[in-house]
Amino acid sequence: MENHPAHAPLLSARWPVFTAELAAALAAEGEKRLVEQVGRLRVVQTCGCGDDFCQSFHTAPEPAEAYGDGHRNVCLDAPWPGYLILDVVHDEIRYVEVLYRSPLY
């Protein structure tokens, strides 16, 4: 699934329960600037790796190369027995890694 970023569905419209879980996990880590972004995140492209345990997605176009300077990973305490890891570039959420979770809703 690929979309132009401006026309991609809002995360909150596609998966409202997950959106709330993501915001709560970020708040618990004290990531206030990232919490503020959650309501405007868009699902631009799903991972496409084909692994049945992966529901990860891009919130911006996938870069041609590594993210480079300004990149950090934010590992969150997932409210399920799996993983929730964000790629953040210059304080903007770019990729949400969702692993070993029941289907998003």
Side-chain angles (χ1 to χ4, degrees):
M1 171 190 141
E2 289 192 42
N3 289 301
H4 185 278
H7 298 107
L10 284 170
L11 176 64
S12 59
R14 184 161 183 186
W15 298 309
V17 171
F18 175 73
T19 301
E21 291 173 344
L22 176 59
L26 284 165
E29 284 295 316
E31 292 282 357
K32 183 180 178 190
R33 291 184 69 181
L34 301 182
V35 172
E36 293 169 355
Q37 295 174 38
V38 172
R40 66 178 187 270
L41 289 178
R42 295 189 176 272
V43 181
V44 174
Q45 180 180 348
T46 55
C47 174
C49 69
D51 291 331
D52 62 354
F53 59 83
C54 178
Q55 298 179 80
S56 304
F57 58 92
H58 295 271
T59 62
E62 185 175 6
E65 297 181 11
Y67 287 116
D69 291 339
H71 172 256
R72 67 183 174 113
N73 284 118
V74 177
C75 299
L76 299 171
D77 187 16
W80 63 84
Y83 300 96
L84 179 57
I85 304 166
L86 308 182
D87 282 309
V88 176
V89 181
H90 299 292
D91 288 323
E92 294 290 327
I93 299 169
R94 302 292 300 271
Y95 187 74
V96 180
E97 192 168 6
V98 182
L99 303 173
Y100 300 102
R101 185 195 188 281
S102 58
L104 295 176
Y105 58 97

